[in-house]
Amino acid sequence: MIQVTAFQWVPPFAQGSVRDIRVRWALEEAGLGYDERLLGLGEHKSPQYKAVQPFGQVPAYRDGKVEMFESCAIVLYVAEQSDALMPRDAAGRAAVLTWLFAASNTLEPQVAQLAAIDIFNPDKAWAKERRPEVEAMVRERLGELQAALADRRWLADDRFSAADIIMTHVLRDLRHTDILADYPALRAYRERAEARPAFKRALSDQLAPFKAAEAARPELVAG
Ligand SMILES: N[C@@H](CCC(=O)N[C@@H](CS)C(=O)NCC(=O)O)C(=O)O
């Protein structure tokens, strides 16, 4: 049986974007069932868990044949097993790899910088000084992505793939801003991806333990 690690609870800003959602979504698209292994407070930094994920992060993955960490690697591994996530022909496969790495290596670093400023350091002087430049870099990348997407529905071969899972997740990390409103084709792309039943199941499965934890311990949301 496939097992994916996830957190039992995270603060509201992270709910719906913890990276196990990438793996949950890929498994849902591929029609593969899985168990979640929920990590309690601080458990991700334990020596036992670091033997599974050396950086003490989620997600980690095991299926009886392999043990893995790094969400993109896991999503690609799942995609190798499913036509729903990766075409079989060389050109289609190359397009998926290209766009998946573009999401992770070209878009995500800029988006992550903005999130680091807005979510973790909004009041710091250095953050206020740096933010306009970071937002400009994000906007430049988004403009380029929108031009490249043109009138296609999906990134690779114009069919949904593993690349769209990672790109959508990266774009979701702009949810705390209204920047995507200036890129209507990208906003529509993200909404199209989020409307997929597999995404909705992945999201609700990630959120379920958070809601259960908050019901049991209301002080979590009270701060
Ligand atoms: N590159 C890793 C990053 C994983 C990651 O950043 N996970 C976050 C949750 S979204 C985490 O576990 N953070 C806890 C920590 O770093 O202490 C991947 O994509 O799997």
Side-chain angles (χ1 to χ4, degrees):
M1 186 63 177
I2 295 170
Q3 185 191 73
V4 179
T5 64
F7 289 128
Q8 194 131 42
W9 184 78
V10 295
F13 76 83
Q15 296 186 5
S17 63
V18 191
R19 283 162 185 243
D20 56 276
I21 200 168
R22 296 174 168 189
V23 177
R24 292 175 186 269
W25 187 2
L27 290 168
E28 292 285 355
E29 294 281 356
L32 296 170
Y34 66 95
D35 286 336
E36 56 187 13
R37 175 183 162 199
L38 296 178
L39 304 176
L41 202 64
E43 198 182 338
H44 59 301
K45 295 300 179 195
S46 69
Q48 290 80 2
Y49 185 64
K50 281 192 172 173
V52 174
Q53 213 291 6
F55 308 106
Q57 298 180 317
V58 304
Y61 170 99
R62 66 200 296 180
D63 63 9
K65 294 192 291 282
V66 302
E67 296 188 4
M68 301 179 72
F69 54 91
E70 283 299 332
S71 56
C72 287
I74 301 166
V75 167
L76 276 175
Y77 173 77
V78 173
E80 296 285 0
Q81 304 165 52
S82 171
D83 290 353
L85 290 169
M86 175 91 89
R88 295 299 116 187
D89 65 293
R93 193 170 177 281
V96 173
L97 292 175
T98 298
W99 278 109
L100 185 141
F101 280 93
S104 170
N105 285 4
T106 306
L107 273 292
E108 185 163 24
Q110 325 285 5
V111 170
Q113 276 193 59
L114 194 64
I117 288 174
D118 291 349
I119 295 169
F120 296 112
N121 300 286
D123 300 325
K124 305 260 173 63
W126 67 262
K128 288 182 180 150
E129 194 178 337
R130 176 101 176 103
R131 196 185 186 288
E133 200 180 327
V134 172
E135 181 173 335
M137 287 191 312
V138 168
R139 285 182 175 278
E140 186 177 358
R141 286 283 180 264
L142 293 176
E144 290 160 342
L145 177 63
Q146 180 164 266
L149 184 64
D151 58 358
R152 300 199 313 282
R153 287 172 54 81
W154 306 112
L155 288 170
D157 255 12
D158 206 10
R159 47 162 284 183
F160 183 83
S161 75
D164 298 301
I165 290 181
I166 304 303
M167 190 65 86
T168 300
H169 186 256
V170 170
L171 296 178
R172 277 173 64 75
D173 279 350
L174 290 168
R175 280 176 302 157
H176 68 284
T177 74
D178 56 6
I179 291 176
L180 222 52
D182 294 337
Y183 303 86
L186 293 185
R187 192 171 62 175
Y189 165 79
R190 195 187 79 186
E191 287 171 357
R192 192 153 56 240
E194 290 173 340
R196 295 177 73 83
F199 172 80
K200 290 184 180 168
R201 285 195 297 273
L203 179 62
S204 103
D205 286 348
Q206 177 177 96
L207 296 180
F210 304 158
K211 300 302 159 213
E214 287 166 7
R217 296 179 53 198
E219 73 273 14
L220 287 173
V221 264

